[in-house]
Amino acid sequence: MSENSIALIFACPLFGAVLCTFLGGAKRALCHPVAVVSLGGALWGGIETLRRVVASESHEISYLLGGWTLDSYPRGVGIEFRADLLGTLIMLVVIGVAFLVALYSKLTVSEETPEKEGPFYTLFLLQVTGLAGICLTGDAFNLYVLIEVAALTGYGLIAMGSARAAAATFNYVILGTIGASFYLLGVGYLYMKTGTLNMVGIQEVIVQQDLADSATMQVAFVFIGLGILIKMAFFPFHAWLPNAYSHAPTSTSCLLAPLVTKVMIYVMIRMTLTVFGVDFSFEETLWTKLLPWLVVVAIVCAATMALAQRDLKKMLTYLIVAEVGYMVGGVWIYNYYGLVGSIFHVISDACMTLCLFLGAGIILRKVGTSHFDGLKGLFRRMPLTMTGFFVGGFSIIGLPPTCGFFSKWYLITGGMLAERWEYVVALLFSTMVMVVLFFRLIERIHLAVKESGEEFGHGHGDLDLPENETRFDEAPLSMLIPLLLSAAVVLLIGIYNQDVVNLVESFLEPLNLPKGTDR
Amino acid sequence: MEVIQDTRPLIALLAPFVGVVGIVWAGEKRANLRETITLLTGIFQASVVLSMIPLVLADNVIEFHVWQIFTNVPLLLRVDGFGITFAAVASVLWIATSLYSIGYMRGLHEHAQTRFYTFFAISMSATMGVAFSANLLTIYFFYEMLSVSTFPLVTHMQNKEARTGGRTYLSYLLFTSLCLLLPALSWCYVWLDGGAVTMDFLADTGKISFFSSHTQLVLLLLFTFGFAKAGLMPVHSWLPNAMVAPTPVSALLHAVAVVKVGVFCVIRVYSDVFGIDLLRGLDGERIMIWIACATILISSLIALSQDNLKRRLAFSTIGQLGYVVLGATLATKQGMGGAVLHIAMHACGKITLFFCAGAIFVASGKKYVSQLRGLGRKMPFTMGAFLIGSLSVIGLPPLGGFISKWYLALGALDGGYFWVVVVLLVSSMLNVFYLLPVAVTAFFRDRDEEEDEDGKGMKEAPWQCVIPLTCTALGCFGLFFFSDVLLQLAGLGH
Amino acid sequence: MFGEDGGLLRELLVERFNYCIYVVLLLIGLYAMIAKNNLIKKLIGMSIFQTAIILFYVSLGVKEGASIPIYKPEHDPHGHHAEDHADHKPKDANASSSASADAHDDHHEVQALTDEQTRQYANPLPHVLMLTAIVVGVATLGVALAVVQRIYRAYGTIEEDEVMKAIMEESQGIPSTKGSPKSKKGASKKRKAKKA
């Protein structure tokens, strides 16, 4: 069983998806347990895989489908699944997040998209399969297919919401297709030059045939990079994201918002570090010079736009765009610590975004709106929910000991060591914006200020809210427990950040990235 | 010096959290139980802290390793003389404040008292954490925890004014800590090779000399203003704004715990990151002395013009914090010692003053200095304590405030800054001008006739308020006569 | 990689004609996706865009004079004709006795083609990849059409500006107490009723 743990990661959700399709008609109620159980199986497989990867000597294990071998040169016939530390970590995050969202989704799915449990969970599980596949595949073309699998199911999941969501989905389809097609085009050029599609094979050929100064490689790099930037909603290409995620059904946005952009960041890291190789990506292209400045623009603009929002979910989506800027910057400042920060931020941002979206979903369900006005005095009604939500907010701001502090710490450290001060300043600026954003929320949730404006010192007695709005009215357990679990994960990843960072470091160590400390 | 491994620092740190569980469990329904738990927690915490003093006096440090933050930076608790001075002052005064809160909160029928006690306890835990931190990162953790956990206390009133005050409070504290302190910390973390720096106060003193002197100066400024809780101008305005909080909060947190955490951190950085020797050699170190002196004088002048009693005390606090920072910037042994002493002495004096301000408000609803005429006769204990507190803050013997000012002056002379002594004298004069009139008004000015009408039923504040403020006032005497222990802890003993 | 004689024009039009075609198609598709107002036209642009990439890939696999990538009888390593051909590379005598499933025997049985022989075939891989890409493209188109249908039902139009206008009106008309899916449905039903 243990050798096939990688297969389990895909088999469980895939099988669950098929099952959900059939159950969708008569036995709709069974879909939710099926989804939870199959994701539980996948989670077990993921943990087992991570254990095996850590235990193995080279810190990677290869899994070949259909009995193909990789003996030929260039390596590339047969579809390889390669679990190295980076991919396995992100995959585990994907499945973990999906598991929590599946737990959480029971009520929201049956309320928001009644009688569609079957299709919903089918798409949900396929989405997870696609995202987990992206993390583990060792084949550049296969990556394209899996990106599209994730995207197509994502379109479906989002469009299940209101009519407004469908309109947003259309934009997402157009931009998503452009992004994926650019990626495909880049892979074509890559294949043209190297004659293989296997990621390790491509890297081997680039090194052996010294393709670094080839114009074709540059074209391939630009197309692939551009495609991925569109897919991850990097600032000028972000237009699809806010509407799609804020109008999607609750469970959908809880699943997609933490994962899709982060997984695409992973793809970027994978492509730059292990496919094109560190030397080519950072030394031979202009991106190292150019992108940090674009990142600065991206972070500043996205943070400012988040500031202008009056709707909780909309605001959170702009935060995602800003966070994407953090991570892209962490990669392209070309520093060891920047990359550690970037990868760690992928993990921690997934957890804290999940935490926030789960909280926002509960608010939406209880209050009926996610507009800021509806938040007034919510702390009294649901202290536990709001505490979980605040933990996510503190993490986004970067307060210790949440994981957000540590990822920001590494990013700032990397920026300083690489002497990209503009990036450091942008990070600090956005941190300030986050402080304003979240304490503005906390103020509403906690204070519920009376507008009568009493004189200082006499604000005693109770608030002037109607009785039913101050009553203790906590979220249902099926939603509350995943939220609190995700808040606990945010704290635990922060507290045990050293263990995660050690794994990331043993992945990055052989790559000989500049550390910037040898001044 | 010997290092002892012991869990007592952690116990002192976690005791308030255990208390929080009890407080929440008891809730509004069982108010007596809730407040008993608060009091017991405070007494327990203080006794744990005090039990460590003999060990520290015998030239030991107590350490407890909690968890590894980074490969080479642990979350490490360490109790040394400086830390335990501050911890002891804060935890003993917490007992007094707990008792006082009961009288104050009940006297005014405040809402959400459970929340109040809960966050009060969490703040105390964070304060202990700062006092016992062994490295820069640990101190930063607890510093941020304190900023966030005091926010619900500052905004306790939940009205518009509380909202404005809370906004100013948090924006000052978080902007400075995230935008000045965090980069400075990161910078220090990578200052040599990533592996060599532990950010530990004992191990890394003076390592900062690796940087050029310009960089050192920038770091010094980043640290000093990053710890905005120290209230140095121009990042001081959060403190007057925090006065919207209920008086027990102003008393303990904004005269003792929070602001003292700020200056504590500054002293830590000056003495244990830079080190006295390095600091003396630094060209720009004079800038800090000027800023501290300017803060002292300007805030005293502003305090003169404040009619709201709590605001006047707040500006007075800013000035007194300036003394502490000044002592640290003098970069002499006696200056540092004076700064440490002043943390304790000022704490005792200022908390008395705030207790009195709160007691007056509970008993009469008055909060402006001009309204206090004739109050001394109605509330003799309160106003008597206020007089003692004032004299201690001004720095007259036989009160605690005298000793610390004495050592500050000695430190200034030692460092060769004669003009600083002049500043100290002038500011003491200003202290007299803004503090004494309060007591004078209360005792010697007669009340107007119409004021007499509404003041008919006025009497002394509830006993839960009067006892703590009497105790702290007596404490001001005590600190003068029994200052040996403090002197020794501050490194000035023989 | 560039031709050693002849200018840019020659290189573009003669040597790399296939690239020119795909770039032109790509740009047409991109233009339609971004600039067209009609949602269906956007989708047509999307299809053109994807087709351009498919053409690019297919042209990668082309070789002059090469046959389709199916084993010729004389090259088939598994086939029974293998040993009949004289021009064939010599191999082990018992290679064709493929009854044994033994791994050792397997090794002998599989016969790699020489470079010379391989050159007679077109590269099959791009074609295979494009089969998958076509499937993906069709699926995307299907989803997109379904979404357009949904938009049409809700807003009664497939012109982008009109949809945006309807959305603006909706967000202004309905105060902040939106959110419950029921009220949404009611609103869209009303709009349909009006149309009718």
Side-chain angles (χ1 to χ4, degrees), chain C residues 121-182:
Chain C
Y121 296 105
N123 186 351
L125 197 60
H127 300 78
V128 178
L129 298 183
M130 282 313 102
L131 275 182
T132 317
I134 289 169
V135 172
V136 168
V138 168
T140 315
L141 193 64
V143 171
L145 284 172
V147 170
V148 172
Q149 209 174 21
R150 180 99 203 272
I151 294 173
Y152 182 73
R153 279 205 201 123
Y155 299 104
T157 175
I158 51 168
E159 298 294 323
E160 194 180 23
D161 53 353
E162 287 173 28
V163 173
M164 293 314 285
K165 222 169 108 191
I167 289 171
M168 292 297 279
E169 277 167 13
E170 184 185 5
S171 60
Q172 281 163 6
I174 300 171
S176 58
T177 48
K178 55 176 180 174
S180 79
K182 272 181 191 165

Side-chain angles (χ1 to χ4, degrees), chain C residues 3-185:
Chain C
E4 54 267 27
D5 59 330
L8 186 69
L9 201 66
R10 188 193 119 97
E11 189 189 313
L12 274 180
L13 290 183
V14 181
E15 290 175 5
R16 310 206 182 273
F17 190 60
N18 54 336
Y19 296 120
C20 297
I21 296 292
Y22 106 78
V23 166
V24 168
L25 282 176
L26 198 75
L27 290 177
I28 292 173
L30 204 56
Y31 169 78
M33 282 163 98
I34 292 166
K36 286 292 168 188
N37 193 28
N38 187 304
L39 299 185
I40 296 294
K41 284 183 183 167
K42 274 174 184 272
L43 290 188
I44 294 172
M46 190 174 89
S47 286
I48 297 174
F49 187 75
Q50 287 173 326
T51 312
I53 294 170
I54 292 171
L55 283 180
F56 163 69
Y57 262 86
V58 170
S59 70
L60 279 186
V62 167
K63 258 184 266 174
E64 207 166 317
S67 88
I68 52 166
I70 297 175
Y71 278 129
K72 289 175 185 164
E74 65 270 27
H75 292 163
D76 189 351
H78 303 286
H80 294 288
H81 310 285
E83 70 269 35
D84 296 342
H85 287 269
D87 60 339
H88 198 256
K89 208 180 154 194
K91 54 202 275 187
D92 276 358
N94 57 350
S96 60
S97 60
S98 55
S100 159
D102 196 330
H104 184 259
D105 275 82
D106 260 1
H107 178 72
H108 286 290
E109 183 194 341
V110 175
Q111 177 62 51
L113 299 184
T114 61
D115 285 353
E116 181 59 35
Q117 290 162 341
T118 324
R119 256 176 231 128
Q120 297 172 19
Y121 296 105
N123 186 351
L125 197 60
H127 300 78
V128 178
L129 298 183
M130 282 313 102
L131 275 182
T132 317
I134 289 169
V135 172
V136 168
V138 168
T140 315
L141 193 64
V143 171
L145 284 172
V147 170
V148 172
Q149 209 174 21
R150 180 99 203 272
I151 294 173
Y152 182 73
R153 279 205 201 123
Y155 299 104
T157 175
I158 51 168
E159 298 294 323
E160 194 180 23
D161 53 353
E162 287 173 28
V163 173
M164 293 314 285
K165 222 169 108 191
I167 289 171
M168 292 297 279
E169 277 167 13
E170 184 185 5
S171 60
Q172 281 163 6
I174 300 171
S176 58
T177 48
K178 55 176 180 174
S180 79
K182 272 181 191 165
S183 69
K184 270 272 158 68
K185 266 193 181 164

Side-chain angles (χ1 to χ4, degrees), chain B residues 130-150:
Chain B
V130 170
F132 294 152
S133 293
N135 58 41
L136 271 178
L137 214 57
T138 313
I139 226 170
Y140 180 74
F141 276 26
F142 289 110
Y143 184 89
E144 291 291 30
M145 184 174 151
L146 189 59
S147 303
V148 175
S149 62
T150 45

